[in-house]
Amino acid sequence: MVRREIDFRTPDGQQRYVGISVSPLRTRDSSRSGYVFNFQDLTELRRLEQEVATKERMAALGRLSAAIAHEIRQPLTAMAGAVKELARLVPLEEDEKHLVNIVSRESERLNHIITDFLNYSHEKTYEFQEADVRGLLDETLTLLEKKPEIENKYHIVRTFNGTGLRARVDANKIKQVFWNLCDNALRAMPTGGTLSVGIELLPFWLRIAFRDTGIGLDAKQRAKIFEPLQSGFEGGTGLGLSIVYQIVQAHSGRISVVSEKDRGAEFIVELPRTG
């Protein structure tokens, strides 16, 4: 018997994994009269394997991030304080004052990054209640459309109707997920583009999709997109999508991405529905 596994993309853009095994079909006298082909859909299995691997990597990175952040914060605070004290005690020339200001500003920036890491690694509390996810998503998009740079540069398309779609969520946390995914989509379209947001009702899930026309992701980027320190944007800490992943997991949900380099990206959030 020969067995192989292949992956392919369906006409609607979904990636599927299939296992194929081929066995010879023999008659009673052991002569070969044909072949038997057996096809097995491995898509869900591959998704679960990737999810487990991502969880394990993120747990380890979270512990490491917290340890490093604690170790860095103390000497960083001491150095920043020492520089400010020296500036107060010793008369400085203009160029020296400029250097002191740079040290102080960069120390504050590093302290902000460390705070983000500590917030990421700390256990979060949630207040779950049944809510209209469509309404929460619509509120987020309305706020996004109020940003000054949106009007002339981006086109936001809603592909969902006015029917309420309910799930048990922490409203503020899930709006943070929606905002981060929308903000990421806009940053992936530096010269402008279209963000399409839709909700689909599945048998046990609400499927919320965020599709942009931006720079896209290659296979290596997709594999680690939800891990810390994977920001592809200037000035980013690489924690936004990691926090999104944490929140979705806390909702017993799923998140995935479909993308190719220079062909946009689609982030898909699936939440257990209650109605």
Side-chain angles (χ1 to χ4, degrees):
M1 183 176 71
V2 178
R3 179 177 174 81
R4 288 190 60 188
E5 294 181 7
I6 63 170
D7 63 281
F8 64 95
R9 197 171 298 279
T10 62
D12 61 356
Q14 295 186 34
Q15 189 170 24
R16 311 292 295 184
Y17 297 88
V18 175
I20 304 174
S21 58
V22 183
S23 303
L25 181 63
R26 300 186 183 279
T27 60
R28 289 185 177 181
D29 60 359
S30 298
S31 62
R32 188 169 58 196
S33 61
Y35 295 92
V36 176
F37 289 80
N38 183 47
F39 296 86
Q40 181 182 14
D41 190 345
L42 303 174
T43 305
E44 184 65 12
L45 178 62
R46 289 290 172 269
R47 186 192 68 77
L48 290 172
E49 288 176 348
Q50 291 172 2
E51 189 171 297
V52 169
T54 300
K55 282 183 179 179
E56 291 176 348
R57 288 198 302 269
M58 290 184 69
L61 286 168
R63 292 190 296 270
L64 180 62
S65 298
I68 292 174
H70 279 295
E71 291 298 320
I72 292 176
R73 170 168 277 179
Q74 187 172 350
L76 176 65
T77 303
M79 286 188 292
V83 168
K84 288 181 180 179
E85 185 65 14
L86 283 172
R88 188 181 68 84
L89 295 174
V90 180
L92 300 176
E93 300 293 336
E94 283 303 315
D95 58 341
E96 293 171 333
K97 289 180 181 179
H98 180 63
L99 289 173
V100 169
N101 288 334
I102 290 175
V103 172
S104 298
R105 186 174 65 249
E106 290 302 299
S107 297
E108 290 176 4
R109 186 175 70 86
L110 286 173
N111 192 53
H112 176 70
I113 293 172
I114 290 170
T115 300
D116 285 346
F117 269 107
L118 290 174
N119 289 337
Y120 163 72
S121 59
H122 285 167
E123 186 173 352
K124 297 174 178 59
T125 58
Y126 294 84
E127 296 180 5
F128 292 100
Q129 59 183 1
E130 191 171 317
D132 176 13
V133 174
R134 181 208 58 81
L136 298 175
L137 181 58
D138 195 53
E139 287 176 19
T140 304
L141 294 176
T142 299
L143 286 173
L144 191 70
E145 289 167 335
K146 300 298 182 183
K147 294 178 72 173
E149 67 270 22
I150 295 296
E151 186 175 356
N152 298 321
K153 193 174 180 182
Y154 301 102
H155 185 43
I156 298 176
V157 179
R158 292 168 169 81
T159 59
F160 52 90
N161 57 32
T163 304
L165 301 168
R166 306 191 71 79
R168 187 169 177 78
V169 298
D170 181 311
N172 290 327
K173 294 288 198 309
I174 211 66
K175 283 199 287 187
Q176 183 182 353
V177 167
F178 296 159
W179 181 270
N180 282 1
L181 291 176
C182 288
D183 186 60
N184 246 47
L186 298 184
R187 295 175 74 183
M189 301 183 287
T191 59
T194 299
L195 169 62
S196 301
V197 184
I199 305 179
E200 183 181 354
L201 199 61
L202 302 179
F204 301 102
W205 302 87
L206 294 181
R207 184 179 188 270
I208 308 112
F210 301 80
R211 173 73 185 177
D212 66 63
T213 57
I215 57 178
L217 302 163
D218 59 31
K220 186 177 180 180
Q221 291 172 315
R222 289 197 309 270
K224 296 186 176 183
I225 190 64
F226 298 113
E227 295 182 7
L229 298 174
Q230 299 301 319
S231 176
F233 304 120
E234 185 178 353
T237 59
L239 292 174
L241 288 178
S242 300
I243 293 171
V244 163
Y245 184 90
Q246 281 185 332
I247 295 173
V248 172
Q249 289 291 309
H251 283 74
S252 300
R254 308 185 297 213
I255 183 168
S256 58
V257 59
V258 178
S259 180
E260 293 181 20
K261 196 67 177 174
D262 301 320
R263 298 188 64 180
E266 183 178 35
F267 283 83
I268 301 162
V269 175
E270 293 176 304
L271 299 173
R273 49 179 285 207
T274 58

